[in-house]
Amino acid sequence: EDETGLFIQWGNQDDPDDATRRELEGKLLALVPDTTEGIGFAELVTAAGEVGSRATVHRYVQQLVQDGALVKAAYGRYRRPLNN
Protein backbone atom coordinates (compact mmCIF):
# COMPACT_ATOMS: atom_id res chain seq x y z
CA GLU A 1 0.00 0.00 0.00
CA ASP A 2 1.10 3.58 -0.51
CA GLU A 3 0.75 6.41 2.01
CA THR A 4 -2.91 6.97 1.05
CA GLY A 5 -3.80 3.35 1.78
CA LEU A 6 -4.17 2.40 -1.89
CA PHE A 7 -2.54 -0.66 -3.33
CA ILE A 8 0.45 -0.07 -5.57
CA GLN A 9 0.17 -1.66 -9.01
CA TRP A 10 2.36 -4.72 -9.47
CA GLY A 11 4.88 -4.36 -12.27
CA ASN A 12 6.44 -0.96 -11.62
CA GLN A 13 8.48 -0.12 -14.74
CA ASP A 14 10.98 1.93 -12.71
CA ASP A 15 11.63 -0.80 -10.13
CA PRO A 16 15.02 -2.51 -10.68
CA ASP A 17 13.61 -5.80 -9.32
CA ASP A 18 10.82 -5.66 -11.89
CA ALA A 19 13.34 -4.94 -14.64
CA THR A 20 15.28 -8.02 -13.51
CA ARG A 21 12.09 -10.10 -13.58
CA ARG A 22 11.31 -8.98 -17.12
CA GLU A 23 14.88 -9.74 -18.20
CA LEU A 24 14.73 -13.26 -16.73
CA GLU A 25 11.32 -13.87 -18.30
CA GLY A 26 12.82 -12.82 -21.64
CA LYS A 27 15.66 -15.31 -21.19
CA LEU A 28 13.16 -18.07 -20.48
CA LEU A 29 11.07 -17.16 -23.53
CA ALA A 30 14.19 -17.31 -25.71
CA LEU A 31 14.74 -20.93 -24.61
CA VAL A 32 11.21 -22.07 -25.46
CA PRO A 33 10.56 -23.04 -29.09
CA ASP A 34 7.38 -22.23 -30.99
CA THR A 35 7.16 -25.76 -32.36
CA THR A 36 4.13 -27.90 -31.59
CA GLU A 37 6.08 -30.19 -29.23
CA GLY A 38 7.66 -27.34 -27.25
CA ILE A 39 10.16 -28.05 -24.49
CA GLY A 40 9.87 -30.21 -21.39
CA PHE A 41 9.95 -28.49 -18.02
CA ALA A 42 13.02 -30.46 -16.88
CA GLU A 43 14.86 -29.45 -20.07
CA LEU A 44 13.85 -25.85 -19.49
CA VAL A 45 15.13 -25.88 -15.90
CA THR A 46 18.47 -27.29 -17.07
CA ALA A 47 18.79 -24.79 -19.93
CA ALA A 48 17.77 -21.88 -17.68
CA GLY A 49 20.38 -22.57 -15.01
CA GLU A 50 21.18 -18.88 -14.47
CA VAL A 51 17.52 -17.92 -14.01
CA GLY A 52 17.25 -19.65 -10.67
CA SER A 53 16.00 -22.71 -8.90
CA ARG A 54 13.40 -25.15 -10.22
CA ALA A 55 10.76 -23.35 -8.13
CA THR A 56 11.76 -19.96 -9.54
CA VAL A 57 11.58 -21.24 -13.12
CA HIS A 58 8.18 -22.76 -12.33
CA ARG A 59 6.86 -19.43 -11.02
CA TYR A 60 8.10 -17.60 -14.11
CA VAL A 61 6.64 -20.23 -16.44
CA GLN A 62 3.26 -20.10 -14.68
CA GLN A 63 3.20 -16.31 -14.95
CA LEU A 64 4.14 -16.46 -18.64
CA VAL A 65 1.35 -18.98 -19.27
CA GLN A 66 -1.11 -16.75 -17.43
CA ASP A 67 0.06 -13.75 -19.49
CA GLY A 68 -0.34 -15.71 -22.75
CA ALA A 69 3.36 -15.58 -23.64
CA LEU A 70 3.64 -19.39 -23.24
CA VAL A 71 1.21 -22.18 -23.94
CA LYS A 72 1.08 -25.51 -22.15
CA ALA A 73 1.61 -27.94 -25.06
CA ALA A 74 1.15 -31.11 -23.00
CA TYR A 75 1.72 -32.32 -19.47
CA GLY A 76 5.04 -30.76 -18.42
CA ARG A 77 5.69 -29.28 -21.88
CA TYR A 78 5.55 -25.64 -22.89
CA ARG A 79 5.82 -23.72 -26.14
CA ARG A 80 5.45 -20.22 -27.42
CA PRO A 81 2.14 -19.53 -29.18
CA LEU A 82 2.20 -20.67 -32.78
CA ASN A 83 2.07 -17.97 -35.44
CA ASN A 84 -0.98 -18.40 -37.63
Side-chain angles (χ1 to χ4, degrees):
E1 293 182 16
D2 66 6
E3 59 276 353
T4 62
L6 299 174
F7 288 104
I8 299 171
Q9 180 180 357
W10 184 76
N12 183 352
Q13 300 295 323
D14 299 324
D15 182 6
D17 289 336
D18 193 56
T20 301
R21 181 186 56 79
R22 287 191 313 274
E23 179 183 339
L24 293 176
E25 285 178 348
K27 288 179 181 181
L28 274 179
L29 281 174
L31 297 171
V32 179
D34 60 358
T35 59
T36 55
E37 62 273 354
I39 187 171
F41 181 72
E43 297 169 81
L44 186 57
V45 170
T46 301
E50 70 181 50
V51 172
S53 68
R54 180 180 176 91
T56 299
V57 172
H58 185 262
R59 282 190 299 272
Y60 282 126
V61 166
Q62 294 305 309
Q63 185 63 49
L64 290 167
V65 168
Q66 184 178 352
D67 293 345
L70 287 182
V71 175
K72 192 166 185 175
Y75 181 79
R77 299 196 70 81
Y78 300 89
R79 64 173 171 81
R80 286 185 280 145
L82 298 175
N83 295 330
N84 292 332

